[in-house]
Amino acid sequence: MTSDAPAPGRSLREHAMWLPDDRFAALRGRTVSVLGEGTVVDTVRAEAARAGMTAAASTPDILILPAGDAAAQGLGDLPTADLSAEGFVHHVREGRVVVAYGGPNGALYGWFHHVRHLALGGGDGTTRHEPLHELRMLDHWDNVAVHPHMGQVERGYADGSIFYQEGMLRDDLARVERYARLLASIGINRVTINNVNVGRREARLLTDDLGSVERLAAIFRPWGIRTHLSVNFASPLTLGDLDTSDPLEPTVQRWWTDAAARVYARIPDFGGFLVKADSEGQPGPYAYGRDHADGANMLARALAAHGGLVHWRAFVYNHRQDWRDRTTDRARAAYDTFAPLDGRFDDNVVLQVKFGPLDFQVREPVSPVIPAMTRTRVALELQVTQEYTGQQQHAVYLGPQWSEILAFRPTGDDGPMLAEIVAGGIAAVSNVGADAFWTGHPLAQANLYAYGRLAWDPVLEPGTILDEWIALTFGHDETARRGIRSILDDSWRTYESYTAPLGVCFMVSPLNRHYGPDVDGYEYSAWGTYHFADRDGIGVDRSVATGTGYAGQYAEPWASRYESLDTVPDELILFFHHVPYTHRLHSGRTVIQHIYDTHFAGVERVREMVAAWDALEGRLPDDVHARGRERFAEQLRSATEWRDQINTYFWRKSGIADETGRTIF
Ligand code: GCV
């Protein structure tokens, strides 16, 4: 292990994630000049001081200045023309560094870019950087009061909340400040501080507990991050003195206008409201015969005068289905609900759409709602917390999945990428909690890092992002780098291979909170039916010709590609079609043999991951290694359980033996 890697054996009370002090060592004793004003620019000054730099007015080693001042400083050649507010130019020549920024956030991002540049051993050069999207958001599903079923953090796998404890905001918020710094270093500029399922206690954040929001906003502000709040649509009824929350009712509109004014009086840069309405039991406009545009616009109008946004979620479906009813297809729901409303949303409404039509499964097609809403500001929603991808017990690097989603071209090869059409930016559910490693599995930190980097630049290579994360987190140790890359590079596909096959979804255990296999767990439930396996075949017929018609929600060429067995990609065949087990895939294998082969291979891959992790002992801090070792043991146990349950289930259903005679029970 090299000198700048964390010393093995050091015990960490709270892991530094990708910003350990060692990574700033090269800056110690050097001189800096930070020009410009404001809270965020002051943060950059404080960062430089923290790194041990000294302020110098003339010929500093690092000059950080507004792009508009570059010419006056003899730096007129830098490519700063029309630099956006969050953009910056990074220029290094013979050890002297210039960061020319468009606006205060650009100064902060330029600073952290330079830290990254040092960690990667970068040399001389001039590069210009601007985020593709203005809105790069992280949503917390943290509850203030511990929820009886969902706990302190809904779908959280990293201990409690860093914000709340036992029904109130924590007294000591020093950790939130360290979190804000980490988020700023990867370009996140919006944070929603409470769960979209807004309980009674959480609804009060908007009213008598606004002080908690104000305190958190004050911590995020110097890091260029605006604070958003999830609100409960029924608040005028449940918190106010009104007997309705009908969005067309003037008293209700006034209630929200007053509430918003009170928020902005105390938090002038407040970001806005995030709303889950008429979904999984949350209240919404349907109760009054109104639609989602009526609901979203009512809130948007309360916020508009203050520059606030409404993030309105498209995750709307019937969770009280009768499994006997084969006409209802949950995958259709968001499009059926929202496509007819395109053009009716106010400008400050952002429709937040999950990446797939169901729910953050390991494999789903990209949601057809996103390209369909051409007259609506749409944001893509991802899930960094690993609800359906191993719950931070399994090492699953999601960068390649997100990258594939962002690069999807909804109108074919000549059309734009999904990343280019989500004018409302990107949002994701955080995977962070009060755990010493922040994310439970130390390798899950890579997902948070990758999310920020991809939200900034969706065409970054997931492997390049991993290298950055490894260099920042663990320093320059080529063996450690290769070991971690070999574990994480393909881990998303590995997870897919030993869990639900070929685009079939929800084979997870409902009783065990979506962890571990339960092939029929959702098959006869009210939440939807997902595989329809019988003795002859498996899959959901979502074709237009004979199925639910979901494939027809896509534009061409995808509608036709998904409709036909000749062109549907193997990895999604069971999402779109019901086929016999003997159906031959494009790969040449039958569906049943594919199921057996991938499940056996997946577990073998996990064994290799475990061996690769074991080989890193002594090259990583002991506590990081020990935590990883626990998690890898569980991953191997769980992957084996998945393999045996899935293979056994389909062998018993189909009666078709594995071609190579491996053990199935
Ligand atoms: C916050 C899934 C999760 C829920 C979550 C919901 C949502 O259904 O299981 O816990 O609720 O998605 O995104 O609103």
Side-chain angles (χ1 to χ4, degrees):
M1 101 169 271
T2 58
S3 58
D4 71 339
R10 195 174 77 187
S11 166
L12 297 166
R13 267 194 315 125
E14 177 192 302
H15 191 260
M17 293 227 255
W18 51 84
L19 290 182
D21 287 346
D22 291 356
R23 234 46 78 217
F24 296 77
L27 297 168
R28 210 162 293 143
R30 302 193 69 200
T31 56
V32 64
S33 175
V34 182
L35 307 183
E37 276 160 28
T39 319
V40 175
V41 179
D42 286 344
T43 302
V44 180
R45 283 194 189 92
E47 271 289 308
R50 174 192 170 134
M53 302 190 79
T54 20
S58 67
T59 59
D61 296 322
I62 301 188
L63 173 61
I64 301 175
L65 80 173
D69 295 352
Q73 299 275 341
L75 296 163
D77 287 350
L78 294 184
T80 56
D82 303 322
L83 199 57
S84 59
E86 295 187 302
F88 61 91
V89 170
H90 179 248
H91 170 76
V92 185
R93 190 183 300 149
E94 291 164 7
R96 299 277 301 280
V97 180
V98 177
V99 173
Y101 61 85
N105 277 22
L108 195 55
Y109 301 146
W111 164 260
F112 284 116
H113 174 83
H114 186 61
V115 174
R116 209 158 36 230
H117 178 83
L118 291 173
L120 294 168
D124 284 7
T126 305
T127 47
R128 180 180 159 122
H129 305 262
E130 287 173 296
L132 182 62
H133 298 296
E134 209 181 296
L135 296 169
R136 304 176 303 279
M137 182 149 161
L138 203 57
D139 294 340
H140 278 261
W141 286 355
D142 296 27
N143 299 313
V144 182
V146 177
H147 187 277
H149 305 298
M150 292 299 174
Q152 187 84 64
V153 180
E154 181 153 348
R155 311 304 179 187
Y157 310 107
D159 208 341
S161 163
I162 58 170
F163 304 141
Y164 316 107
Q165 194 176 27
E166 291 169 15
M168 43 203 294
L169 186 67
R170 286 173 182 271
D171 283 336
D172 180 0
L173 295 175
R175 188 163 187 179
V176 177
E177 163 124 41
R178 294 191 287 278
Y179 181 55
R181 177 171 182 253
L182 286 156
L183 295 189
S185 76
I186 52 171
I188 301 295
N189 64 0
R190 309 270 176 158
V191 167
T192 306
I193 57 168
N194 63 308
N195 189 1
V196 287
N197 291 330
V198 185
R200 259 196 105 72
R201 170 65 186 86
E202 290 70 25
R204 286 175 34 221
L205 288 167
L206 178 65
T207 54
D208 54 301
D209 194 20
L210 191 52
S212 293
V213 186
E214 194 178 2
R215 278 187 66 205
L216 287 174
I219 293 173
F220 283 116
R221 183 173 303 117
W223 299 96
I225 298 168
R226 290 172 71 174
T227 300
H228 294 237
L229 197 61
S230 294
V231 296
N232 184 308
F233 195 80
S235 289
L237 182 68
T238 52
L239 297 180
D241 321 315
L242 305 185
D243 56 6
T244 174
S245 53
D246 180 349
L248 298 194
E249 175 62 46
T251 51
V252 172
Q253 294 165 358
R254 204 165 320 115
W255 190 93
W256 284 105
T257 306
D258 292 348
R262 278 194 303 271
V263 175
Y264 279 92
R266 291 172 71 169
I267 311 167
D269 60 346
F270 179 69
F273 299 150
L274 172 61
V275 192
K276 171 174 176 178
D278 287 316
S279 165
E280 299 186 334
Q282 289 295 300
Y286 284 168
Y288 306 98
R290 315 299 183 194
D291 63 27
H292 285 267
D294 295 327
N297 290 342
M298 184 265 299
L299 295 178
R301 285 164 199 168
L303 294 164
H306 311 280
L309 298 172
V310 173
H311 280 80
W312 189 269
R313 295 178 84 229
F315 183 63
V316 176
Y317 70 102
N318 176 8
H319 72 289
R320 295 209 177 91
Q321 292 175 37
D322 181 350
W323 60 266
R324 298 164 191 83
D325 165 19
R326 296 201 57 160
T327 61
T328 306
D329 177 9
R330 174 175 169 182
R332 290 190 58 111
Y335 183 102
D336 286 343
T337 305
F338 287 95
L341 302 179
D342 191 26
R344 281 200 40 218
F345 291 100
D346 284 6
D347 289 348
N348 61 331
V349 174
V350 175
L351 186 68
Q352 187 164 309
V353 187
K354 289 190 183 188
F355 76 77
L358 296 179
D359 196 10
F360 303 131
Q361 301 297 291
V362 67
R363 178 72 70 175
E364 287 182 60
V366 165
S367 167
V369 177
I370 299 172
M373 306 290 288
T374 54
R375 289 173 296 149
T376 305
R377 231 166 137 188
V378 174
L380 171 70
E381 185 177 306
L382 302 172
Q383 196 182 41
V384 189
T385 195
Q386 291 173 237
E387 177 178 358
Y388 297 100
T389 49
Q391 304 199 349
Q392 282 137 253
Q393 295 288 335
H394 298 224
V396 179
Y397 176 51
L398 294 167
Q401 182 191 34
W402 300 333
S403 184
E404 222 176 89
I405 292 163
L406 291 162
F408 178 74
R409 294 182 191 271
T411 51
D413 292 348
D414 299 334
M417 298 192 320
L418 193 81
E420 295 167 303
I421 60 176
V422 285
I426 308 192
V429 186
S430 174
N431 63 349
V432 153
D435 169 56
F437 295 94
W438 298 85
T439 53
H441 200 313
L443 294 181
Q445 294 176 5
N447 285 329
L448 183 58
Y449 184 85
Y451 168 65
R453 299 290 288 131
L454 284 170
W456 176 278
D457 181 356
V459 299
L460 281 174
E461 280 294 322
T464 308
I465 296 174
L466 261 188
D467 278 345
E468 282 180 11
W469 174 75
I470 295 167
L472 283 163
T473 307
F474 299 112
H476 283 293
D477 175 356
E478 188 49 27
T479 310
R481 189 190 76 83
R482 268 191 275 112
I484 295 172
R485 283 288 302 260
S486 79
I487 290 168
L488 288 182
D489 271 340
D490 248 357
S491 53
W492 164 54
R493 287 193 180 80
T494 297
Y495 186 82
E496 177 182 27
S497 71
Y498 62 75
T499 55
L502 297 167
V504 120
C505 297
F506 277 95
M507 286 186 170
V508 289
S509 164
L511 292 178
N512 201 21
R513 297 163 191 267
H514 297 165
Y515 186 74
D518 185 347
V519 181
D520 283 334
Y522 277 95
E523 210 52 14
Y524 308 101
S525 89
W527 298 82
T529 296
Y530 300 95
H531 65 71
F532 296 104
D534 58 23
R535 65 179 184 176
D536 300 317
I538 176 177
V540 188
D541 184 354
R542 294 192 163 104
S543 68
V544 175
T546 54
T548 69
Y550 168 77
Q553 293 185 340
Y554 288 86
E556 291 298 353
W558 293 103
S560 301
R561 269 186 207 164
Y562 290 146
E563 177 76 13
S564 162
L565 274 175
D566 294 336
T567 47
V568 68
D570 281 352
E571 68 270 15
L572 285 171
I573 186 171
L574 302 183
F575 194 95
F576 284 100
H577 296 276
H578 186 90
V579 295
Y581 294 110
T582 50
H583 175 83
R584 212 160 272 284
L585 299 166
H586 302 305
S587 68
R589 278 191 292 204
T590 60
V591 165
I592 191 74
Q593 196 56 39
H594 173 99
I595 292 175
Y596 298 148
D597 288 350
T598 51
H599 284 77
F600 282 113
V603 173
E604 287 321 301
R605 257 305 285 145
V606 176
R607 275 190 222 291
E608 289 165 18
M609 290 161 77
V610 175
W613 187 257
D614 286 347
L616 291 177
E617 191 167 6
R619 291 190 173 271
L620 303 176
D622 288 351
D623 52 358
V624 171
H625 195 266
R627 174 67 73 86
R629 190 201 294 275
E630 281 168 22
R631 303 279 151 142
F632 279 110
E634 167 54 19
Q635 183 168 2
L636 183 57
R637 184 208 65 76
S638 172
T640 307
E641 191 62 28
W642 269 101
R643 177 196 68 190
D644 292 341
Q645 285 206 25
I646 298 282
N647 284 348
T648 301
Y649 181 96
F650 287 106
W651 178 58
R652 290 182 187 172
K653 271 256 143 121
S654 69
I656 302 173
D658 170 36
E659 281 168 5
T660 59
R662 288 164 290 193
T663 306
I664 299 177
F665 300 89

